[in-house]
Amino acid sequence: MTMTQVLVQTDCNLNSVCEHLERCCLDSLQEAGAKRPSNTGARLWGRVRNKLLRQKLDPQVVQSKNWHDDVIEMNGIKVEFSMKFSSRDMSLKRTPSKKQTGVFGVKISVVTKRERSKVPYIVRQCIEEVEKRGIEEVGIYRISGVATDIQALKASFDANSKDILMMLSDMDINAIAGTLKLYFRELPEPLLTDRLYLAFMEGIALSDPAAKENCMMHLLRSLPDPNLMTFLFLLQHLKRVAEKEPINKMSLHNLATVFGPTLLRPSEVESKGHMNLASDIWSHDVMAQVQVLLYYLQHPPISFSELKRSTLYYSTDV
């Protein structure tokens, strides 16, 4: 039997893995002079993904700090893989940029001031491209783009390349969507800020609709202007994406699930304090983050100027 080693990363492109496995099948076929069913690569990778998902749902595997080895075999092709789950604190860890230029890992206020813009150029261009040719893409923002494409776009935006518009027009739309998500994930602090995290968590938990409305609008007004303008810009885009739900299968809730934990999450200090807590408490936090974004997505259009003119005030006594 031919042993085939395949390195599989969670953000790799499904088609490339299937093609690689299929080539392995064809090579083995030529060597052995035997017939092998077509699409073995895709079917084998499907089994690997199913195995990974089952392990992800197993509490013992998730809580273990050790590597878990497994083997899946089909039609003479054997795939050996190892997996280890990282905590959310590590997977979403924000690392401030050490460089003075670029946009990834740089404070949003610094970027908008440098660009003399209200919303960062990278956000505007990625959203424009998604709305131009990806708004009806099934699973837009949920399906991962190719990691190498995303890194190429990241480098191009950081370098302020003159070729960025041409790259965007030629790049797979899921890579562009992935670049936008990566930008928000790598901000030195989440878009909705560390300072307001607990207030958002408390506000979304209010049971009285009027008190919740008052609180949630007050929190938006408390954001720095670049953060607020960017959040409202993204919010309207996500609403337009959800309008195409019958085609792209991305509802408001799906979009909130994708973006909520990226736009709103505890600071690193608070995260360290939660690391030893039960997983159900962590899950409750994630659900609340999703609900915060969903609240604004389901809210009637929110205007920056109207927010600033508003005279509503939030009191912690309500």
Side-chain angles (χ1 to χ4, degrees):
M1 178 181 295
T2 301
M3 173 61 71
T4 301
Q5 293 184 335
V6 181
L7 175 62
V8 177
Q9 298 176 315
T10 56
D11 56 0
C12 62
N13 179 257
L14 174 59
N15 290 333
S16 63
V17 175
C18 293
E19 290 171 3
H20 180 72
L21 290 175
E22 201 64 52
R23 284 197 299 272
C24 294
C25 293
L26 292 175
D27 291 343
S28 299
L29 175 63
Q30 292 175 354
E31 292 176 6
K35 292 185 177 181
R36 182 174 283 109
S38 60
N39 296 326
T40 297
R43 291 165 59 205
L44 184 54
W45 178 232
R47 287 192 181 182
V48 174
R49 286 177 63 90
N50 288 337
K51 184 71 174 182
L52 290 172
L53 288 173
R54 286 199 299 272
Q55 295 290 353
K56 186 175 181 179
L57 295 174
D58 184 343
Q60 292 183 347
V61 175
V62 173
Q63 293 174 10
S64 173
K65 295 182 180 180
N66 300 322
W67 285 94
H68 175 76
D69 299 321
D70 214 328
V71 178
I72 291 181
E73 183 180 347
M74 179 188 289
N75 298 325
I77 297 295
K78 181 187 293 184
V79 175
E80 295 185 354
F81 58 94
S82 300
M83 71 184 86
K84 181 172 70 172
F85 293 93
S86 301
S87 68
R88 181 169 174 270
D89 177 68
M90 295 300 296
S91 62
L92 289 180
K93 186 175 178 64
R94 297 171 188 272
T95 305
S97 174
K98 295 181 180 180
K99 59 186 183 302
Q100 298 299 315
T101 58
V103 294
F104 282 83
V106 181
K107 289 183 178 180
I108 195 168
S109 58
V110 173
V111 173
T112 52
K113 183 177 181 180
R114 182 203 306 149
E115 295 177 350
R116 297 182 181 180
S117 61
K118 295 179 179 179
V119 176
Y121 177 75
I122 182 174
V123 176
R124 289 182 281 120
Q125 290 305 130
C126 287
I127 285 178
E128 180 180 324
E129 197 65 31
V130 169
E131 294 198 354
K132 183 187 300 181
R133 59 187 179 90
I135 202 165
E136 295 185 351
E137 184 81 10
V138 174
I140 187 69
Y141 289 120
R142 180 178 56 80
I143 295 177
S144 299
V146 179
T148 52
D149 289 346
I150 293 174
Q151 290 302 316
L153 283 171
K154 174 184 177 180
S156 186
F157 274 113
D158 268 341
N160 195 24
S161 171
K162 295 180 181 179
D163 298 327
I164 187 62
L165 292 180
M166 182 176 296
M167 285 185 66
L168 286 171
S169 64
D170 292 338
M171 196 70 73
D172 175 71
I173 199 64
N174 289 314
I176 296 172
T179 302
L180 180 64
K181 291 188 294 182
L182 182 65
Y183 168 74
F184 286 120
R185 192 160 61 245
E186 292 194 357
L187 284 174
E189 72 168 348
L191 187 64
L192 298 184
T193 73
D194 292 329
R195 178 176 62 89
L196 296 176
Y197 178 77
L198 290 178
F200 275 111
M201 294 295 97
E202 294 169 358
I204 199 63
L206 293 173
S207 57
D208 179 75
K212 180 181 288 189
E213 167 80 6
N214 189 7
C215 173
M216 300 301 278
M217 292 303 109
H218 171 79
L219 289 172
L220 286 187
R221 289 195 299 276
S222 301
L223 289 170
D225 283 0
N227 297 58
L228 177 56
M229 291 291 291
T230 302
F231 178 68
L232 295 180
F233 190 80
L234 176 65
L235 201 65
Q236 294 308 310
H237 165 64
L238 295 180
K239 288 183 177 182
R240 289 191 289 269
V241 172
E243 289 175 358
K244 300 292 185 178
E245 179 188 355
I247 303 173
N248 61 33
K249 311 303 180 185
M250 292 301 290
S251 64
L252 290 176
H253 188 275
N254 288 342
L255 292 165
T257 301
V258 171
F259 279 93
T262 298
L263 302 180
L264 180 69
R265 63 181 296 267
S267 65
E268 289 190 16
V269 174
E270 291 170 335
S271 293
K272 290 177 181 177
H274 283 114
M275 284 184 71
N276 295 324
L277 296 180
S279 59
D280 59 339
I281 297 178
W282 168 79
S283 298
H284 179 270
D285 265 15
V286 173
M287 288 189 291
Q289 293 156 15
V290 171
Q291 288 302 312
V292 168
L293 181 54
L294 185 60
Y295 178 86
Y296 291 121
L297 286 172
Q298 294 175 334
H299 195 280
I302 303 171
S303 163
F304 178 85
S305 57
E306 289 178 1
L307 271 176
K308 291 299 182 179
R309 285 199 304 264
S310 177
T311 57
L312 291 174
Y313 296 95
Y314 167 59
S315 171
T316 54
D317 296 327
V318 296

